[in-house]
Amino acid sequence: MRGRWYQVLLATTIIHLSASANAQLTHRFITHYIPPFTYEEEGEFHGFAIDIVKEMMRELGHPVEFEMFPFSRGLLKVQTAPNIAFFIVAWREERDKTIKWVGPLITSGVYMYIHKGNPASIRTLEDLHKLPFIGVGRGNSDHTYLEELGFTNIYPTNDHLISLQMLASDRLDGTPMSELVMPELAKKAKIDVTEIKKTELKLYDSTLYLGFSLSTSDEEVERWQAALDKMKADGRYQELYRRYVHH
């Protein structure tokens, strides 16, 4: 308990020491549609990651405003434009050259999903060659991961939702997806989840972050990291996790 409150005190000190110097600094916060982490309903933004970032914004006195773009556009913006904050985005080594990281916000396992009527047995990466078309969100970690492994049976789509819709209607043979995202995404899209089958193949664990433009100062990034650390230390993070992920 003592260690936990020391973390809260340390994070609060970092936030307050830099607050006056950064009071006028604002970022353009961009996200993409991936429930239960980020989604929009009736003009309002909701989700586990949205609520985490909202809490951080309030802690730091930052305006609570969001924009939603396809993942590939959001990633391009944070990698090329100043004063951009983009979430949620998976850490990858090649992205370290263009993004500064705050997190992690969450980690989840990414599995391969196929249509329930597909008789293919998918247990290993080699088995993926049995699938003529694997849908991936254009430019996301699944896309990069499979390309780096040399797979050519990849069908890029604008986002996870389109991939899942195409899989449910038997227009794709498989798609990789977080085990936390798939059921929520299917529910939001009114897709019959019984049409989708989770295979035994776990591709990797995806660790997801809030990413800042490379031009953002290290002091500013530390301020946002301290706000997240404080949430994790005082229990607010765990409360949101239970609400959205294990409810």
Side-chain angles (χ1 to χ4, degrees), residues 77-106:
K77 285 179 182 294
V78 76
Q79 290 178 316
T80 59
N83 300 329
I84 300 290
F86 179 55
F87 68 105
I88 52 178
V89 56
W91 178 88
R92 290 190 60 85
E93 186 175 357
E94 70 273 11
R95 292 174 182 167
D96 264 345
K97 301 174 183 177
T98 53
I99 297 176
K100 291 185 177 181
W101 306 95
V102 169
L105 300 182
I106 196 167

Short mmCIF file of all heavy atoms in Angstrom, two decimals, residues 77-106:
data_model
loop_
_atom_site.label_atom_id
_atom_site.label_comp_id
_atom_site.label_asym_id
_atom_site.label_seq_id
_atom_site.Cartn_x
_atom_site.Cartn_y
_atom_site.Cartn_z
N LYS A 77 -0.80 10.62 -39.67
CA LYS A 77 -0.81 11.96 -39.08
C LYS A 77 0.15 12.05 -37.91
O LYS A 77 0.91 13.02 -37.80
CB LYS A 77 -2.24 12.33 -38.65
CG LYS A 77 -3.17 12.68 -39.81
CD LYS A 77 -4.56 13.02 -39.31
CE LYS A 77 -5.50 13.33 -40.47
NZ LYS A 77 -5.09 14.56 -41.20
N VAL A 78 0.13 11.08 -37.00
CA VAL A 78 1.01 11.17 -35.83
C VAL A 78 2.47 11.01 -36.23
O VAL A 78 3.37 11.52 -35.55
CB VAL A 78 0.60 10.15 -34.75
CG1 VAL A 78 1.03 8.73 -35.11
CG2 VAL A 78 1.17 10.53 -33.38
N GLN A 79 2.73 10.33 -37.33
CA GLN A 79 4.10 10.11 -37.78
C GLN A 79 4.67 11.28 -38.59
O GLN A 79 5.88 11.37 -38.77
CB GLN A 79 4.20 8.83 -38.61
CG GLN A 79 4.00 7.56 -37.80
CD GLN A 79 4.04 6.31 -38.66
OE1 GLN A 79 3.45 6.26 -39.74
NE2 GLN A 79 4.75 5.30 -38.19
N THR A 80 3.79 12.17 -39.07
CA THR A 80 4.26 13.22 -39.98
C THR A 80 3.91 14.64 -39.56
O THR A 80 4.53 15.59 -40.06
CB THR A 80 3.69 12.98 -41.40
OG1 THR A 80 2.25 12.98 -41.34
CG2 THR A 80 4.18 11.66 -41.97
N ALA A 81 2.95 14.82 -38.68
CA ALA A 81 2.50 16.17 -38.31
C ALA A 81 2.82 16.47 -36.85
O ALA A 81 2.87 15.56 -36.02
CB ALA A 81 1.00 16.31 -38.57
N PRO A 82 3.03 17.74 -36.50
CA PRO A 82 3.31 18.09 -35.11
C PRO A 82 2.05 18.12 -34.26
O PRO A 82 0.93 18.26 -34.78
CB PRO A 82 3.93 19.49 -35.22
CG PRO A 82 3.30 20.07 -36.45
CD PRO A 82 3.13 18.91 -37.40
N ASN A 83 2.22 17.99 -32.94
CA ASN A 83 1.13 18.17 -31.96
C ASN A 83 -0.06 17.22 -32.19
O ASN A 83 -1.21 17.61 -32.01
CB ASN A 83 0.65 19.62 -31.94
CG ASN A 83 1.76 20.59 -31.57
OD1 ASN A 83 2.66 20.25 -30.81
ND2 ASN A 83 1.71 21.78 -32.13
N ILE A 84 0.25 16.00 -32.58
CA ILE A 84 -0.78 14.97 -32.75
C ILE A 84 -0.61 13.93 -31.65
O ILE A 84 0.51 13.53 -31.32
CB ILE A 84 -0.68 14.28 -34.12
CG1 ILE A 84 -0.87 15.29 -35.26
CG2 ILE A 84 -1.69 13.14 -34.23
CD1 ILE A 84 -2.26 15.85 -35.40
N ALA A 85 -1.73 13.48 -31.10
CA ALA A 85 -1.75 12.33 -30.19
C ALA A 85 -2.71 11.31 -30.78
O ALA A 85 -3.86 11.65 -31.10
CB ALA A 85 -2.21 12.76 -28.80
N PHE A 86 -2.25 10.09 -30.96
CA PHE A 86 -3.03 9.04 -31.64
C PHE A 86 -3.10 7.80 -30.77
O PHE A 86 -2.10 7.36 -30.22
CB PHE A 86 -2.37 8.72 -32.99
CG PHE A 86 -3.06 7.63 -33.78
CD1 PHE A 86 -4.40 7.72 -34.09
CD2 PHE A 86 -2.34 6.53 -34.21
CE1 PHE A 86 -5.03 6.73 -34.83
CE2 PHE A 86 -2.95 5.52 -34.95
CZ PHE A 86 -4.30 5.63 -35.26
N PHE A 87 -4.31 7.24 -30.67
CA PHE A 87 -4.49 6.03 -29.87
C PHE A 87 -5.70 5.26 -30.40
O PHE A 87 -6.58 5.84 -31.03
CB PHE A 87 -4.68 6.39 -28.39
CG PHE A 87 -5.98 7.12 -28.08
CD1 PHE A 87 -7.03 6.45 -27.47
CD2 PHE A 87 -6.17 8.46 -28.43
CE1 PHE A 87 -8.23 7.09 -27.17
CE2 PHE A 87 -7.36 9.10 -28.15
CZ PHE A 87 -8.39 8.43 -27.51
N ILE A 88 -5.75 3.95 -30.15
CA ILE A 88 -4.68 3.14 -29.59
C ILE A 88 -3.81 2.61 -30.72
O ILE A 88 -4.31 2.28 -31.79
CB ILE A 88 -5.25 1.97 -28.75
CG1 ILE A 88 -6.28 1.21 -29.58
CG2 ILE A 88 -5.84 2.45 -27.45
CD1 ILE A 88 -6.90 0.01 -28.92
N VAL A 89 -2.51 2.52 -30.45
CA VAL A 89 -1.58 2.09 -31.48
C VAL A 89 -0.57 1.15 -30.85
O VAL A 89 -0.08 1.39 -29.74
CB VAL A 89 -0.90 3.31 -32.15
CG1 VAL A 89 -0.20 4.19 -31.13
CG2 VAL A 89 0.07 2.88 -33.24
N ALA A 90 -0.30 0.06 -31.54
CA ALA A 90 0.63 -0.95 -31.01
C ALA A 90 2.07 -0.49 -31.18
O ALA A 90 2.43 0.09 -32.22
CB ALA A 90 0.43 -2.28 -31.72
N TRP A 91 2.87 -0.74 -30.13
CA TRP A 91 4.30 -0.48 -30.25
C TRP A 91 4.91 -1.47 -31.24
O TRP A 91 4.66 -2.67 -31.18
CB TRP A 91 5.01 -0.64 -28.91
CG TRP A 91 6.49 -0.41 -29.03
CD1 TRP A 91 7.14 0.78 -28.92
CD2 TRP A 91 7.49 -1.39 -29.33
NE1 TRP A 91 8.49 0.61 -29.13
CE2 TRP A 91 8.74 -0.72 -29.39
CE3 TRP A 91 7.46 -2.77 -29.56
CZ2 TRP A 91 9.94 -1.37 -29.66
CZ3 TRP A 91 8.65 -3.43 -29.84
CH2 TRP A 91 9.87 -2.73 -29.88
N ARG A 92 5.70 -0.93 -32.17
CA ARG A 92 6.52 -1.75 -33.05
C ARG A 92 7.86 -1.04 -33.19
O ARG A 92 7.93 0.19 -33.19
CB ARG A 92 5.87 -1.94 -34.42
CG ARG A 92 4.63 -2.83 -34.38
CD ARG A 92 4.16 -3.19 -35.78
NE ARG A 92 5.17 -3.92 -36.52
CZ ARG A 92 5.35 -5.24 -36.46
NH1 ARG A 92 4.59 -5.97 -35.67
NH2 ARG A 92 6.29 -5.83 -37.17
N GLU A 93 8.92 -1.82 -33.31
CA GLU A 93 10.26 -1.25 -33.32
C GLU A 93 10.44 -0.18 -34.38
O GLU A 93 11.03 0.88 -34.13
CB GLU A 93 11.29 -2.37 -33.52
CG GLU A 93 12.73 -1.91 -33.39
CD GLU A 93 13.73 -3.05 -33.48
OE1 GLU A 93 13.29 -4.22 -33.58
OE2 GLU A 93 14.94 -2.78 -33.44
N GLU A 94 9.90 -0.43 -35.59
CA GLU A 94 10.10 0.53 -36.67
C GLU A 94 9.35 1.85 -36.43
O GLU A 94 9.70 2.88 -37.00
CB GLU A 94 9.68 -0.08 -38.02
CG GLU A 94 8.19 -0.30 -38.20
CD GLU A 94 7.70 -1.63 -37.67
OE1 GLU A 94 8.49 -2.32 -36.98
OE2 GLU A 94 6.54 -2.00 -37.95
N ARG A 95 8.33 1.82 -35.56
CA ARG A 95 7.59 3.04 -35.26
C ARG A 95 8.29 3.93 -34.24
O ARG A 95 7.93 5.09 -34.07
CB ARG A 95 6.18 2.69 -34.76
CG ARG A 95 5.29 2.07 -35.83
CD ARG A 95 3.96 1.61 -35.27
NE ARG A 95 3.14 0.98 -36.31
CZ ARG A 95 2.05 0.28 -36.07
NH1 ARG A 95 1.62 0.12 -34.83
NH2 ARG A 95 1.36 -0.26 -37.08
N ASP A 96 9.30 3.40 -33.56
CA ASP A 96 10.05 4.19 -32.57
C ASP A 96 10.72 5.40 -33.20
O ASP A 96 11.01 6.38 -32.51
CB ASP A 96 11.13 3.32 -31.91
CG ASP A 96 10.66 2.74 -30.57
OD1 ASP A 96 9.65 3.23 -30.04
OD2 ASP A 96 11.32 1.83 -30.07
N LYS A 97 10.99 5.34 -34.50
CA LYS A 97 11.67 6.44 -35.18
C LYS A 97 10.73 7.62 -35.43
O LYS A 97 11.20 8.72 -35.74
CB LYS A 97 12.24 5.95 -36.51
CG LYS A 97 13.24 4.81 -36.38
CD LYS A 97 13.65 4.28 -37.73
CE LYS A 97 14.60 3.08 -37.60
NZ LYS A 97 14.95 2.50 -38.94
N THR A 98 9.42 7.40 -35.31
CA THR A 98 8.47 8.43 -35.69
C THR A 98 7.41 8.74 -34.63
O THR A 98 6.57 9.62 -34.84
CB THR A 98 7.74 8.02 -36.99
OG1 THR A 98 7.17 6.71 -36.83
CG2 THR A 98 8.69 8.01 -38.17
N ILE A 99 7.42 8.02 -33.50
CA ILE A 99 6.40 8.19 -32.48
C ILE A 99 7.05 8.17 -31.10
O ILE A 99 8.00 7.41 -30.86
CB ILE A 99 5.33 7.07 -32.55
CG1 ILE A 99 4.58 7.11 -33.88
CG2 ILE A 99 4.33 7.17 -31.40
CD1 ILE A 99 3.59 5.97 -34.07
N LYS A 100 6.52 8.97 -30.17
CA LYS A 100 6.87 8.88 -28.76
C LYS A 100 5.69 8.25 -28.02
O LYS A 100 4.54 8.55 -28.32
CB LYS A 100 7.20 10.26 -28.19
CG LYS A 100 8.50 10.83 -28.75
CD LYS A 100 8.89 12.14 -28.09
CE LYS A 100 10.22 12.64 -28.62
NZ LYS A 100 10.62 13.93 -27.97
N TRP A 101 5.99 7.41 -27.02
CA TRP A 101 4.98 6.51 -26.47
C TRP A 101 4.60 6.85 -25.03
O TRP A 101 5.45 7.19 -24.22
CB TRP A 101 5.49 5.08 -26.49
CG TRP A 101 5.95 4.63 -27.85
CD1 TRP A 101 7.24 4.66 -28.32
CD2 TRP A 101 5.14 4.11 -28.91
NE1 TRP A 101 7.27 4.17 -29.61
CE2 TRP A 101 6.00 3.83 -30.00
CE3 TRP A 101 3.78 3.84 -29.03
CZ2 TRP A 101 5.54 3.30 -31.20
CZ3 TRP A 101 3.31 3.31 -30.23
CH2 TRP A 101 4.19 3.05 -31.29
N VAL A 102 3.30 6.70 -24.74
CA VAL A 102 2.78 6.76 -23.38
C VAL A 102 1.94 5.51 -23.17
O VAL A 102 1.03 5.21 -23.95
CB VAL A 102 1.93 8.02 -23.15
CG1 VAL A 102 1.19 7.94 -21.82
CG2 VAL A 102 2.81 9.27 -23.19
N GLY A 103 2.24 4.77 -22.11
CA GLY A 103 1.49 3.55 -21.89
C GLY A 103 2.28 2.54 -21.06
O GLY A 103 3.21 2.91 -20.36
N PRO A 104 1.88 1.27 -21.18
CA PRO A 104 0.83 0.80 -22.08
C PRO A 104 -0.58 1.07 -21.56
O PRO A 104 -0.79 1.14 -20.35
CB PRO A 104 1.08 -0.72 -22.16
CG PRO A 104 1.76 -1.05 -20.87
CD PRO A 104 2.59 0.16 -20.51
N LEU A 105 -1.52 1.21 -22.50
CA LEU A 105 -2.92 1.35 -22.14
C LEU A 105 -3.56 -0.02 -21.89
O LEU A 105 -4.36 -0.18 -20.98
CB LEU A 105 -3.69 2.09 -23.23
CG LEU A 105 -3.23 3.52 -23.55
CD1 LEU A 105 -4.14 4.13 -24.62
CD2 LEU A 105 -3.19 4.39 -22.31
N ILE A 106 -3.19 -1.00 -22.72
CA ILE A 106 -3.75 -2.35 -22.55
C ILE A 106 -2.94 -3.34 -23.39
O ILE A 106 -2.31 -2.95 -24.37
CB ILE A 106 -5.25 -2.40 -22.96
CG1 ILE A 106 -5.92 -3.66 -22.42
CG2 ILE A 106 -5.41 -2.28 -24.46
CD1 ILE A 106 -7.43 -3.62 -22.50
#
